[in-house]
Amino acid sequence: MKYYAPKGLNDITPDDMPYWHAVESEVRATMPVYGYEEIRTPMMEKTEVFARGVGEETDVVEKEMYTFDDKGGRSMTLRPENTASVVRAYLEHKYYGKEELSKWYYLGPMFRYEAPQKGRSRQFHQYGAEAIGSNDPALDAEMINLATDILTSLGLNEVGLSLNSIGCPDDREEYIEELVEYLNPFKEELCEDCQARLETNPLRILDCKNQACSSIVEDGPEITDYLCSECRDHFKNVKKYLDQLNLSYTMDPNLVRGLDYYTKTVFEVFSSDLGAQDALVGGGRYDGLVELFGGDPTPAVGFAGGIERLVLLLEELEGVELKKRELDVYLATLDRETKRRGLKLVQRLRNSGFKTEIDYLEKSLQGQLGYADRYGADVTAILGPQELSEDEITLRDMETGEQTLVPLSDFTEKVKNLLESE
Ligand code: HAM
């Protein structure tokens, strides 16, 4: 073996693919039902889109971006997430003038230079939804409903929802002051990262996984006590709508999310099916991002889910119905002449939508029948020189073993009948 995929960048092989297809089909089926249309943005953007959008002082921007100068000397970055790109596209194509509420979804690879581990890779895939143009708390609830709907439809049973509100920038300023005042006396006890965060991004101390940090934070001030009346009211209504939709949640005062654009509602969805720790989905409101990118103040809310994590869960749970399509027809041929004619017949079957295979490995008839069996063919057609000379072909029903000789002119019709009687 000379070459391996780069660390943290994984192949998705044909063995994995049925799970990926199950997730992708579910996403593509469910999003439009909620009114979301697909958008595809480029895999890379000018670095400032993420630096400004996600926030200079976030882990994603500080440590995890794949940034390089292109041949024209411009700083480019492989997208670490898609919300900033979607907002950039919303403004670039002036959707604010075309529709009152833009509801978009996406599927695709993202890149973060993180330490790879189970469910965490450097190239990973997200599906996500963004709704730009409404401040309605019912839309926050819809987002959460959509996010959980996709997971439960895929067969996850225990989907847990963590919820918080981090208010507007003014609320946060006041809260951060209090938080820093509370944390300062404990500075030496905080982990090294959090000591730095105390200066740069104190909110991030709230969701530090370090035991010492989290036990200090536990007795500290909670952001929901610092919400202005508008934010408090908004959050109260989000919760009411969630109740209305029978979506249960757990309040998590330390849920702040790792990206700077969030305002008001933030949420994460977990699966307790396998005691999984990591969030399958994360999202929230980002009412300031469109304005930050030069647009009019425009409220928005969204979420994204990680497909790798979800696939891992689905594989272990065996809860998802996989659609691995088996062979409909295998056409066995015995020499060059029958192969030539056989290819034509295969083409005809494929044009009619039947999954059909022919031998490319110079196998004996026995070998070809074995192959047909292994790949689950429902019907095997055998075209030998004898049959060909009489313009006939043998059809074998692989389930019953019954064989019939049919005229070549009726071939497609007879195969169709056999397959339909299965
Ligand atoms: P995020 O929480 O950074 O949010 O990522 C969302 C999801 O992507 C995570 O919950 C996780 O499932 C998956 N994910 C993140 N990083 C990795 C990784 N290195 N390997 C595997 N999976 C990963 C966002 O990206 C926001 N843009 C979500 C959003 C949309 N908020 C508003 N709109």
Side-chain angles (χ1 to χ4, degrees):
M1 269 281 311
K2 248 181 163 174
Y3 300 112
Y4 295 90
K7 187 175 168 190
L9 284 72
N10 303 318
D11 298 312
I12 303 159
T13 63
D15 280 346
D16 308 322
M17 210 49 87
Y19 291 95
W20 284 75
H21 284 171
V23 172
E24 288 163 5
S25 320
E26 191 57 51
V27 169
R28 290 196 186 285
T30 308
M31 292 286 188
V33 172
Y34 284 72
Y36 291 76
E37 290 178 294
E38 188 178 1
I39 175 160
R40 298 188 194 183
T41 59
M43 223 79 83
M44 63 174 92
E45 297 271 353
K46 289 184 191 145
T47 299
E48 58 259 37
V49 170
F50 302 116
R52 293 218 67 205
V54 174
E56 298 275 5
E57 260 125 34
T58 57
D59 281 355
V60 168
V61 172
E62 265 185 352
K63 306 183 196 159
E64 297 168 3
M65 294 208 304
Y66 280 90
T67 298
F68 59 95
D69 286 345
D70 72 6
K71 292 197 191 301
R74 296 171 211 90
S75 179
M76 306 294 288
T77 293
L78 296 184
R79 61 183 186 188
E81 61 104 53
N82 210 20
T83 309
S85 306
V86 165
V87 168
R88 195 260 316 128
Y90 170 83
L91 287 168
E92 185 166 334
H93 304 288
K94 301 191 173 57
Y95 267 89
Y96 46 84
K98 292 186 207 171
E99 46 192 33
E100 287 168 280
L101 176 61
S102 294
K103 294 172 82 180
W104 294 347
Y105 82 91
Y106 48 82
L107 267 168
M110 311 288 156
F111 304 84
R112 294 184 195 176
Y113 193 83
E114 291 193 84
Q117 58 182 56
K118 205 173 172 208
R120 195 200 291 156
S121 46
R122 291 180 173 169
Q123 177 179 336
F124 60 99
H125 296 72
Q126 283 186 343
Y127 60 94
E130 314 287 351
I132 308 177
S134 167
N135 184 33
D136 190 341
L139 187 58
D140 305 40
E142 175 188 277
M143 257 318 154
I144 291 170
N145 197 2
L146 171 56
T148 51
D149 190 353
I150 291 172
L151 297 176
T152 48
S153 300
L154 279 165
L156 298 194
N157 302 311
E158 315 234 344
V159 174
L161 171 66
S162 295
L163 189 68
N164 197 18
S165 172
I166 57 169
C168 54
D170 285 348
D171 302 346
R172 235 161 18 241
E173 200 178 312
E174 197 190 326
Y175 171 68
I176 287 171
E177 249 173 55
E178 290 289 324
L179 181 66
V180 170
E181 197 169 305
Y182 165 79
L183 288 173
N184 262 331
F186 300 104
K187 186 168 178 180
E188 299 304 314
E189 296 163 48
L190 293 173
C191 74
E192 218 169 280
D193 279 346
C194 283
Q195 292 191 15
R197 287 179 184 136
L198 203 49
E199 311 294 329
T200 57
N201 199 347
L203 269 190
R204 291 315 311 271
I205 299 174
L206 295 181
D207 63 2
C208 179
K209 300 280 178 280
N210 184 298
Q211 187 62 42
C213 301
S214 51
S215 63
I216 293 170
V217 158
E218 210 165 293
D219 298 325
E222 291 186 1
I223 188 145
T224 38
D225 293 330
Y226 293 79
L227 301 183
C228 64
S229 65
E230 196 218 312
C231 289
R232 199 173 320 133
D233 198 44
H234 190 274
F235 195 40
K236 197 174 82 194
N237 281 310
V238 171
K239 292 191 277 191
K240 272 198 186 150
Y241 284 119
L242 289 175
D243 291 341
Q244 185 70 35
L245 295 168
N246 285 330
L247 293 166
S248 51
Y249 55 85
T250 312
M251 274 297 301
D252 179 356
N254 297 329
L255 178 67
V256 287
R257 310 272 300 126
L259 316 165
D260 274 358
Y261 47 63
Y262 289 110
T263 55
K264 294 183 176 157
T265 318
V266 286
F267 63 91
E268 283 184 347
V269 183
F270 296 84
S271 163
S272 28
D273 279 292
L274 293 167
Q277 293 293 305
D278 285 328
L280 291 171
V281 165
R285 219 165 234 294
Y286 47 97
D287 290 345
L289 189 56
V290 175
E291 197 180 359
L292 184 76
F293 278 7
D296 288 340
T298 309
V301 59
F303 77 85
I307 303 187
E308 277 76 0
R309 278 173 206 189
L310 184 51
V311 164
L312 275 174
L313 256 171
L314 293 173
E315 279 174 351
E316 288 186 51
L317 279 176
E318 296 171 3
V320 56
E321 210 181 292
L322 298 177
K323 294 189 198 80
K324 187 157 182 167
R325 189 166 170 195
E326 302 214 302
L327 262 187
D328 293 317
V329 186
Y330 185 91
L331 197 141
T333 53
L334 295 184
D335 56 18
R336 189 165 293 187
E337 201 49 42
T338 53
K339 174 78 164 271
R340 224 175 269 149
R341 188 63 193 273
L343 269 177
K344 188 79 200 148
L345 296 172
V346 165
Q347 183 188 45
R348 227 191 283 154
L349 286 179
R350 286 176 177 162
N351 286 345
S352 303
F354 298 116
K355 184 169 176 183
T356 310
E357 207 46 274
I358 191 167
D359 174 53
Y360 295 110
L361 301 169
E362 296 188 24
K363 283 185 188 293
S364 65
L365 178 61
Q366 206 53 34
Q368 293 185 59
L369 293 179
Y371 188 98
D373 199 38
R374 249 192 334 281
Y375 287 87
D378 292 321
V379 174
T380 301
I382 304 158
L383 187 62
Q386 174 73 27
E387 281 113 335
L388 185 57
S389 68
E390 285 164 29
D391 275 334
E392 289 183 325
I393 185 164
T394 302
L395 295 187
R396 181 189 174 97
D397 182 327
M398 296 295 274
E399 203 172 280
T400 61
E402 214 173 288
Q403 295 204 163
T404 40
L405 204 57
V406 303
L408 272 178
S409 54
D410 290 350
F411 175 61
T412 313
E413 201 54 34
K414 295 282 185 207
V415 169
K416 206 186 269 180
N417 291 344
L418 255 184
L419 287 172
E420 273 163 10
S421 70
E422 289 288 317

